[in-house]
Amino acid sequence: MSLDFGPAVALSCRECGTRYPLGPSFACQECFGPLEAAYSFGEVTRAQIESGPANIWRYRSLLPVPADVASKPNMNPGWTKLVKAGNLGQALGIKSLYVKDDSGNPTHSFKDRVVAMAVEAARNFGFHTLSCSSTGNLAGAVTAAAARAGLDACVFIPANLEQAKIAMARVFGGKLIGIEGTYDDVNRFCSELIGDPLGDKWGFTNINLRPYYAEGSKTLAYEIAEQLGWRLPEQIIIPIASGSQLTKIDKGFKELVTLGLVEDTPYKIFGAQAAGCSPVSTAYKAGHDVVQPVKPNTIAKSLAIGNPADGPYVLDIARRTGGGVEDVTDPEIVAAIKLLASTEGIFAETAGGVTVGVLKKLVETGQLDPEAETVVLNTGDGLKTLDAITDDAKPTAVIRPSLDAFRATV
């Protein structure tokens, strides 16, 4: 079988550095550390990137994908808006604020980016079924991408997910299996299935395809830098579920610097969690290097991973960059969703409420510089988590169809 992963040349252990051939592997045989794609980049210029398509494949020379990836059936996500958020910035007292709004992706969350990588890996390995363990958004992204790519799909979720996310995952076809328990229970089940004949020729996007899948998050870093005029933001707030998105954005920024595509300027990375599932925030505040697992209890179900695989790496990055990790309560999440919507016309799902809520808290507690250029991520569409704002699901007033009635109301 001939493999084509473009500039990716090996898998490398993040802990001990041991290298392995490119394959459907995710853990080091020496130390059980996580594997990630290692590259041999050729010359990459801004002009080459800018001449590419208006999606993540403009960065194909920096990703584990073949050069002809744009010609294959894929969801082609990315190049979402970087919104200059002057109204929100004024409300929070931030001089220069942007919202990277990833709700504009094909299935309305950033997960389309990572799944696009996994689809190409699945093709390389000759897999016939695309699968995942999911807190919701990934399930919909996988079933949609599988449908486009002509692959079978079977995805696994906690049985108590938001109905909108369940409906979205089902509409694209494939099988959707609810598991009694938390996301961590679902993920353990999927890990067992990989070693069973039932899972033969299955590509689990966030398990045996994880080294390739995770690289999709780097495209957020690339886009933000390019959309800012080829420079790094001074501060960025990123939601934490497994923590992979945050670590890969940092990796993306560093790659841009190494390749000479942006100036090497300092940036601070802040992680955002819901208080009902905040193991990384708790560890950060306590000065610990180890993340203690918790049982999630929050409306931010897309971030409800009680044992985040990349938690320790998030701590390292937050401390190295001078950022931090903070958390907000469910009422603060709802208030932040409404604040973003009423100031910028962006309806975020609960994960976006977490990042905006944490942004507000960071300013109020003096952890974030209000004079520095700041980017906050919204990773999904609020229509997926309508249950969070059901109190507003009614008219401001109900009146008779007459001007007198309207005058009396307003």
Side-chain angles (χ1 to χ4, degrees), residues 136-207:
N137 284 323
L138 181 57
V142 165
T143 53
R148 178 72 62 83
L151 299 171
D152 293 332
C154 183
V155 300
F156 301 88
I157 59 171
N160 66 343
L161 276 190
E162 300 98 336
Q163 286 299 306
K165 290 179 180 175
I166 292 174
M168 188 172 201
R170 284 295 305 276
V171 76
F172 297 116
K175 295 181 177 66
L176 179 68
I177 309 298
I179 301 289
E180 296 175 356
T182 66
Y183 169 81
D184 299 291
D185 296 317
V186 178
N187 199 49
R188 280 193 294 271
F189 169 80
C190 288
S191 297
E192 293 174 8
L193 184 55
I194 288 175
D196 188 274
L198 279 171
D200 184 46
K201 293 295 182 180
W202 285 34
F204 289 80
T205 59
N206 51 347
I207 306 178

Side-chain angles (χ1 to χ4, degrees), residues 5-10 19 22 37-44 60-64 218 255 259:
F5 284 97
V9 294
R19 286 201 166 195
L22 294 166
Y39 298 91
S40 177
F41 294 125
E43 182 184 6
V44 182
R60 61 189 177 277
S61 56
L62 301 173
L63 299 169
K218 295 193 309 181
E255 286 175 348
L259 291 166

Side-chain angles (χ1 to χ4, degrees), residues 397-409:
V398 176
I399 64 172
R400 290 176 289 105
S402 73
L403 289 174
D404 287 343
F406 181 60
R407 289 190 186 95
T409 300

